[in-house]
Amino acid sequence: MRARTGARSFRRIHVLACATSLATFAWAAPALAQDQGNLQNSTTSQPAAPQPAVPATANTTSAAEAGQPQDAATAQDVSQGNSAQGTGDDIVVVGLRGSLQRNLDLKRTSSGVVDVISAEDIGKFPDSNVAASLQRLPGVSIQRSGSRGEPTGITVRGFGGDFNTTLYDGRRISTATGGRQIDFSTVGVDFIGQLSVLKTPDVSLSSNSIGATVDIQFPKPFDHPGFRVAATGSGSIQDRSGKIVPTGGLLVSSTNADETFGVLADVIYTKRDTDTNRVYVSGWPGGNFAPCQLAGSTGTCSPTSDTTSAAYANPANRRSLTGWSPQQYGAEQQRVEDERVDARIALQYHPSDDLMLTIDNNFSRQTITQENYAFGVWFNQGDLRNVTLDKNGTATDFTQAGTPTDFTSALNKQILQTNQTGLNVKYDATSNLTLEGDVSYAKSWLNPGDVIGSRNGDIGYGSALGNNLRFNVTGDSKDAFPTISNFGPAGNSAAWADQSLIGSHVAVNQTQHNTDELVQFRGNATWKQDNLTLKAGGQFYQDSFNFRNQSTFVNNYWQAYAGYGAPSGGTAGIAPIPTNLYQGSVSLNDFIPGFKGALPPSVFVFSPIAYQNYLSSLGNPQAQNVPGFNYGNVNGFTGSFDEAVDPGSIQRVRERTWSLYFSANFKTEIGSLPFTFNAGVRNEVTSLVSTGQGRLPIYFQTSTADRTLLTIPSAAPGVPDGYTAVQPNTVKNSYSYLLPSLDAKLELADNLILRVDASRTLTRPTLNLLNPVLNVGSGQRIGALSASGGNATLKPYLSDNFDLGAEWYYRRNSYLSVNFFLKNVSNFIVGGVTRQTINGVIDPTTGVLASFAVSQQVNGPDATVRGVELAWQQVFGDTGFGYQANATFVNTNRPYDDKNVSQTGFAVTGLANSANFVGFYDKAGFQFRAAVNWRDKYLLQFGQNQNTGSYGSEPTFVNQSFQIDLTTSYDVTKNFSVFGEALNVNNNQQSTHGRYSNQLLDVFDYGRRYTVGARYRF
């Protein structure tokens, strides 16, 4: 057998120092020292700082250490684990408390600020979702998918999504979603080895995250030498869907007798079914009301901002009162099937102590199928009457004459597939020098093949059957949704779902096709001698992103049979819709339990595919006269709702980055106190090429089928194209930044640590913001014209970061910590909305130049974010009881000002106080955990689903959330266990609002989920 060196502590190497702070630490040491005799574990003497069970970053180990079994470095204390394995002095702790201790070991021995979650054993991770696990850590909060309730993203210290870098075994991963963040629901959690959250950067790994770097580390054959098998199987049910769906996984790992070769393979199948109820307002655009629109006004009312019009002569018609009104209101049930396959294989060749080769491949494919059944009503600010404005200008009560009603059905499908292959070589050239090379290739696809991303069917009534609908805000968005009344055909609520009056409206098909291809290489050399470690190296990656959208909006086929038909008084549209297309209904009674507000009685269940097939069966309108076809606005339609590629959506971005880094790490003493100092610098040079295709509208056409629509017609015989010719446009950009970093750690006592950290990090703009052209969609709403454009010359966000913290490890498996942080961020990217005319296009409804709400991004102001993280972990001796608790408090010098109605309003997004508590029992093979997670209200983003107002990008706030999750397991035998899980037991509901708290945007009720399963490990 070869000698195995102990696993090395995780090291981060940095450049900025603060001598004054370090001197202060040294002076404070006597006052903070504790009597160690009172802090020792009751059953064992207080050990020296333990070595970590696994390295905290995959690229810091030597070849010999890469072959180190994880179990060999596990802490030796039977009383602190769920069970123990081994004989004599070789005792290995497993179970929840063993995992918690390993996490503390890694945190304690690291040079920078890091939090870790490790597997309890091979094939047993604490939570069923990566993001759910991460939210237990201080400073980490999650974002949930509204339709599924699944944690899909994280926010670290107020910075979410694209501000955090996620790595697989130290490598960046591709994602075809258009952003830089990953969807954590696409990561199979069962066979993860460890999650590391680096809140201060490791310059040899990455400096590309202002929030944090999350390193997901997967098991490898030599982590657990010999033959190992882990299998898991479970069934889960969501209380509303009422359907049990399976999850299963198998991992097999084996090394040969000489321990020179190993192979590990695993596969996981996961299924989640969720029925979610949603009430929504698509946007609260700001604008101006005329006094004649307000409640109590009498006489005719002609709201206008045109100073040359005759109506403007009457002051009551002048749109002079600032206010906000809803754009579209409705409710829907979303039935979601989330199916995922994860597979991985890793091969390791370890012919000698000084050479380790690792080849691995990670594959994942997630398919989300969603059926939506909804109703919706559309509002136009200029058409509102009897308006009541509250003190903030929110329209809390109004009526609108002629309001159409739509019943919609959608079948949405999203496939996200990723494959990554990598090779890592570690070679110990001498006893002091280790060389490492790592290369990988990854590619992701969004909706590969011929999949149609969304099929939509829209039916209803309007025009002559439009109602004088009343809309009323009944309370705050956290517990109330708006009430509508006087609904139904011509205001007859009893005929709300009268099938004889319902006709065809629109049929929208659209698909987003993206690919993201990532090539990366890293090479470095590490020199270690005594208490000094030097590292130098370089990294290269090329990220190539392709974006394309196709839809029936492009060719105007979406409104082929719009108009609702004869009962609504229209010449276009088919009515009534055949009764065999209806498949039932969804009751809207008590739709969102606990929320105030009133809805109509129901929505229809019908298939959008069957609906479109029925319309296609009516024949080819170009070859025969088809009654109900929208001959006035649709050209070239032959009966099939085919998608057409939007030329303005085609975008290609290639981003190349070269990095060089150097770091130094040394250990010494200050006044007999152990002191660790790390300094490093990373230089990054980025070049970017962005190519897009631009075209501008020439003229608009009113819709004969829908009075709320304007369209840009496509070319046809006798009909000129409504767009200019497509013009390709390429923009190049480059930038270079020096990113220094420093970590210093002073051990005031054996169990008391003070830290100071300083660094500069950056976050690059998301790739989908770098489109160099302006895009104007063909389907536009009257009074809500919009366009969007990217900016290929955007610079990255820059942040100067400072941390000051203390950690007290007062007994084994227990600690207290406090960490203050400050981030000065510049180059914030602001998504502003301005009112512009485009290409001299005339609005046919007004006869004047059309005014578009144009969304574009620019680098904007600076901001400071500051906060404190508190954490406390306590295990009560050998009782089996313990808890983890943490809280984070953050603020900024740039809070949101709801009174600022300028188009350049700005605030820092994502900031919210949060707290987590996990109480647990872990003893004699039985484990139980209760997790409580709370997050205060926060500003999610600027922009709403429909953002066409006069005051820039309207904000979206997420209301306060509070969720309780329960998990339990029991070891039936040494190798076999059963487990259960209950998520969201308090039925937490997710809701959002606009500028003011009574401007509800969304409320999702996604219910509870229960899981029962079993694990086998050998």
Side-chain angles (χ1 to χ4, degrees):
M1 296 292 292
R2 295 184 302 273
R4 303 287 187 181
T5 60
R8 185 173 307 164
S9 65
F10 165 64
R11 294 189 174 110
R12 265 186 295 305
I13 303 173
H14 308 287
V15 143
L16 300 174
C18 182
T20 303
S21 297
L22 296 178
T24 303
F25 289 169
W27 281 105
L32 295 172
Q34 300 290 328
D35 180 3
Q36 297 306 299
N38 295 329
L39 301 177
Q40 292 177 347
N41 185 277
S42 59
T43 58
T44 63
S45 61
Q46 179 74 16
Q51 293 298 306
V54 286
T57 53
N59 64 322
T60 58
T61 57
S62 65
E65 290 167 331
Q68 165 82 28
Q70 291 184 13
D71 295 343
T74 307
Q76 300 179 14
D77 185 356
V78 178
S79 67
Q80 296 303 305
N82 180 47
S83 60
Q85 301 170 353
T87 59
D89 293 333
D90 185 16
I91 299 175
V92 178
V93 179
V94 297
L96 175 61
R97 286 181 292 159
S99 170
L100 294 177
Q101 182 59 56
R102 289 193 293 274
N103 299 342
L104 290 195
D105 294 345
L106 289 164
K107 180 179 181 67
R108 180 173 179 172
T109 57
S110 67
S111 300
V113 180
V114 62
D115 288 294
V116 180
I117 303 173
S118 59
E120 298 176 29
D121 195 358
I122 187 170
K124 186 180 181 183
F125 206 71
D127 291 281
S128 58
N129 180 283
V130 171
S133 284
L134 292 172
Q135 74 172 329
R136 319 296 187 206
L137 299 176
V140 182
S141 302
I142 62 172
Q143 290 88 49
R144 294 184 181 274
S145 162
S147 60
R148 293 179 285 152
E150 288 282 320
T152 56
I154 63 169
T155 294
V156 182
R157 296 178 168 182
F159 291 89
D162 297 312
F163 289 96
N164 302 304
T165 299
T166 301
L167 310 174
Y168 279 6
D169 287 324
R171 300 171 184 140
R172 280 186 52 188
I173 53 179
S174 60
T175 173
T177 59
R180 296 185 187 271
Q181 78 276 22
I182 71 164
D183 181 344
F184 284 104
S185 71
T186 65
V187 182
V189 74
D190 291 276
F191 301 134
I192 287 177
Q194 179 179 292
L195 297 176
S196 300
V197 180
L198 285 69
K199 298 176 183 176
T200 56
D202 175 354
V203 297
S204 67
L205 192 65
S206 174
S207 294
N208 297 325
S209 50
I210 292 176
T213 298
V214 179
D215 194 9
I216 301 176
Q217 296 164 38
F218 295 99
K220 300 176 182 63
F222 283 107
D223 293 345
H224 301 276
F227 181 72
R228 303 292 297 267
V229 174
T232 181
S234 65
S236 69
I237 184 172
Q238 188 240 10
D239 52 7
R240 184 176 292 116
S241 71
K243 182 180 178 182
I244 299 175
V245 291
T247 292
L250 176 66
L251 179 149
V252 179
S253 178
S254 181
T255 58
N256 63 358
D258 294 334
E259 294 189 13
T260 58
F261 179 77
V263 58
L264 180 149
D266 66 58
V267 61
I268 309 167
Y269 172 81
T270 305
K271 185 101 179 322
R272 293 282 189 271
D273 281 5
T274 306
D275 286 4
T276 298
N277 291 346
R278 176 193 180 210
V279 175
Y280 66 91
V281 175
S282 291
W284 287 82
N288 294 305
F289 290 93
C292 66
Q293 294 179 262
L294 302 185
S297 297
T298 59
T300 60
C301 184
S302 301
T304 183
S305 298
D306 182 5
T307 59
T308 64
S309 67
Y312 195 84
N314 183 352
N317 292 328
R318 298 174 186 173
R319 301 184 68 164
S320 57
L321 304 174
T322 298
W324 288 263
S325 59
Q327 192 82 77
Q328 185 181 25
Y329 180 59
E332 67 179 350
Q333 184 169 97
Q334 304 173 332
R335 302 175 180 178
V336 186
E337 293 183 358
D338 181 355
E339 189 174 35
R340 190 177 71 245
V341 176
D342 300 274
R344 183 172 184 272
I345 186 168
L347 305 175
Q348 286 190 301
Y349 182 52
H350 197 29
S352 63
D353 278 344
D354 50 13
L355 180 63
M356 171 67 83
L357 284 81
T358 303
I359 301 175
D360 55 55
N361 180 271
N362 298 302
F363 170 85
S364 70
R365 181 181 173 94
Q366 181 186 46
T367 302
I368 298 176
T369 304
Q370 180 173 319
E371 300 175 5
N372 295 349
Y373 307 107
F375 86 88
V377 290
W378 179 270
F379 302 112
N380 189 322
Q381 190 178 51
D383 294 336
L384 307 186
R385 299 294 184 268
N386 303 308
V387 177
T388 298
L389 300 177
D390 69 6
K391 64 180 182 180
N392 293 321
T394 300
T396 58
D397 199 347
F398 60 80
T399 60
Q400 177 177 269
T403 305
T405 298
D406 292 297
F407 297 95
T408 61
S409 171
L411 177 61
N412 302 326
K413 190 168 187 178
Q414 176 179 289
I415 299 174
L416 185 60
Q417 180 174 313
T418 301
N419 194 73
Q420 181 185 62
T421 301
L423 168 66
N424 181 273
V425 180
K426 291 185 175 73
Y427 174 61
D428 296 339
T430 70
S431 59
N432 302 108
L433 179 63
T434 297
L435 305 177
E436 180 186 11
D438 189 277
V439 61
S440 69
Y441 169 80
K443 188 170 184 179
S444 295
W445 299 261
L446 179 65
N447 296 324
D450 297 327
V451 62
I452 297 179
S454 177
R455 298 173 183 261
N456 175 276
D458 190 327
I459 60 178
Y461 42 81
S463 301
L465 293 179
N467 44 60
N468 191 31
L469 194 73
R470 182 182 179 187
F471 177 96
N472 179 236
V473 174
T474 57
D476 193 275
S477 60
K478 68 179 185 299
D479 56 18
F481 52 78
T483 290
I484 61 172
S485 55
N486 200 37
F487 50 78
N492 181 6
S493 59
W496 165 258
D498 187 342
Q499 297 177 7
S500 67
L501 301 176
I502 294 175
S504 66
H505 197 38
V506 302
V508 177
N509 293 339
Q510 53 186 336
T511 308
Q512 187 70 50
H513 292 285
N514 297 347
T515 62
D516 183 23
E517 197 169 10
L518 184 61
V519 178
Q520 55 193 313
F521 170 79
R522 182 183 71 245
N524 54 260
T526 304
W527 175 272
K528 298 182 180 181
Q529 186 171 10
D530 299 327
N531 291 322
L532 176 65
T533 301
L534 302 176
K535 179 178 288 189
Q539 188 173 22
F540 166 81
Y541 69 80
Q542 175 177 289
D543 198 347
S544 301
F545 178 74
N546 291 275
F547 180 99
R548 172 172 57 89
N549 180 270
Q550 57 193 47
S551 73
T552 54
F553 283 120
V554 178
N555 49 27
N556 285 327
Y557 289 1
W558 65 293
Q559 54 176 321
Y561 288 93
Y564 302 120
S568 291
T571 58
I574 306 297
I577 297 295
T579 57
N580 63 359
L581 292 181
Y582 297 100
Q583 300 172 343
S585 62
V586 174
S587 173
L588 300 183
N589 183 45
D590 196 26
F591 198 57
I592 308 290
F595 268 63
K596 296 180 293 184
L599 296 167
S602 62
V603 295
F604 290 113
V605 174
F606 65 99
S607 166
I609 296 177
Y611 168 70
Q612 291 185 17
N613 288 342
Y614 161 70
L615 296 178
S616 296
S617 72
L618 299 177
N620 180 358
Q622 311 305 318
Q624 64 187 76
N625 180 51
V626 179
F629 178 72
N630 184 9
Y631 282 100
N633 298 107
V634 182
N635 305 310
F637 180 81
T638 59
S640 179
F641 290 90
D642 299 324
E643 298 173 319
V645 175
D646 180 2
S649 73
I650 297 175
Q651 178 187 0
R652 298 179 179 87
V653 178
R654 189 199 67 198
E655 183 181 78
R656 291 175 175 170
T657 298
W658 294 263
S659 304
L660 294 175
Y661 53 84
F662 175 79
S663 62
N665 167 31
F666 68 87
K667 297 180 180 180
T668 184
E669 291 185 350
I670 296 180
S672 76
L673 300 178
F675 175 67
T676 303
F677 182 81
N678 300 271
V681 64
R682 184 181 180 99
N683 186 66
E684 295 204 346
V685 179
T686 298
S687 66
L688 180 140
V689 178
S690 178
T691 300
Q693 296 186 141
R695 61 176 186 168
L696 298 176
I698 298 173
Y699 70 98
F700 275 125
Q701 186 180 75
T702 57
S703 173
T704 60
D706 189 331
R707 68 182 184 86
T708 70
L709 295 177
L710 289 176
T711 61
I712 305 173
S714 55
V719 179
D721 195 341
Y723 280 105
T724 62
V726 174
Q727 296 290 332
N729 187 28
T730 297
V731 175
K732 296 181 179 181
N733 189 24
S734 63
Y735 48 82
S736 175
Y737 290 97
L738 194 67
L739 305 171
S741 184
L742 172 150
D743 289 330
K745 180 175 67 173
L746 183 67
E747 299 183 38
L748 297 176
D750 288 343
N751 55 6
L752 183 61
I753 296 174
L754 294 183
R755 300 181 187 270
V756 63
D757 309 89
S759 64
R760 168 168 281 194
T761 54
L762 61 80
T763 290
R764 292 181 173 82
T766 57
L767 297 173
N768 58 347
L769 296 181
L770 302 175
N771 194 337
V773 300
L774 182 69
N775 188 21
V776 182
S778 61
Q780 299 278 345
R781 292 281 186 177
I782 293 175
L785 305 181
S786 63
S788 63
N791 183 352
T793 62
L794 288 172
K795 295 183 292 186
Y797 304 82
L798 280 179
S799 179
D800 293 320
N801 317 296
F802 304 92
D803 279 73
L804 178 65
E807 300 160 7
W808 180 30
Y809 299 87
Y810 57 91
R811 67 169 59 244
R812 190 163 186 80
N813 224 333
S814 301
Y815 86 110
L816 278 167
S817 73
V818 58
N819 196 89
F820 299 92
F821 61 88
L822 177 72
K823 296 177 181 289
N824 293 317
V825 186
S826 58
N827 292 341
F828 263 98
I829 296 174
V830 180
V833 176
T834 57
R835 305 297 304 190
Q836 299 179 23
T837 60
I838 296 177
N839 202 33
V841 173
I842 300 296
D843 184 339
T845 65
T846 64
V848 300
L849 289 172
S851 177
F852 293 82
V854 180
S855 302
Q856 288 182 306
Q857 290 74 37
V858 296
N859 286 109
D862 301 347
T864 298
V865 174
R866 49 192 173 255
V868 58
E869 297 171 350
L870 307 173
W872 185 8
Q873 180 172 304
Q874 170 72 53
V875 173
F876 296 98
D878 196 29
T879 65
F881 289 98
Y883 61 81
Q884 296 172 286
N886 62 71
T888 303
F889 304 94
V890 293
N891 60 38
T892 178
N893 67 332
R894 297 299 296 267
Y896 180 72
D897 178 9
D898 58 20
K899 305 301 182 185
N900 182 358
V901 294
S902 71
Q903 296 173 343
T904 57
F906 167 74
V908 179
T909 61
L911 296 183
N913 297 332
S914 61
N916 304 295
F917 178 86
V918 180
F920 60 85
Y921 177 81
D922 179 31
K923 190 174 183 181
F926 178 71
Q927 182 186 120
F928 178 81
R929 289 192 311 152
V932 178
N933 303 106
W934 171 82
R935 188 178 187 182
D936 206 354
K937 183 185 81 170
Y938 64 96
L939 174 62
L940 174 67
Q941 64 187 23
F942 283 94
Q944 300 172 359
N945 288 342
Q946 293 170 344
N947 203 103
T948 57
S950 302
Y951 308 130
S953 292
E954 289 292 325
T956 296
F957 286 90
V958 179
N959 287 322
Q960 174 183 287
S961 65
F962 176 81
Q963 181 162 322
I964 301 174
D965 300 327
L966 304 175
T967 60
T968 186
S969 67
Y970 177 68
D971 295 337
V972 180
T973 69
K974 176 183 177 182
N975 298 326
F976 180 76
S977 62
V978 294
F979 63 90
E981 183 178 63
L983 302 181
N984 194 29
V985 296
N986 62 320
N987 196 31
N988 177 57
Q989 293 150 330
Q990 177 179 315
S991 61
T992 62
H993 67 79
R995 181 179 293 258
Y996 301 108
S997 62
N998 61 348
Q999 295 179 356
L1000 179 129
L1001 291 172
D1002 276 302
V1003 54
F1004 292 95
D1005 180 49
Y1006 48 82
R1008 305 171 180 87
R1009 185 180 305 281
Y1010 305 96
T1011 301
V1012 176
R1015 291 188 183 93
Y1016 173 79
R1017 298 180 300 280
F1018 173 78

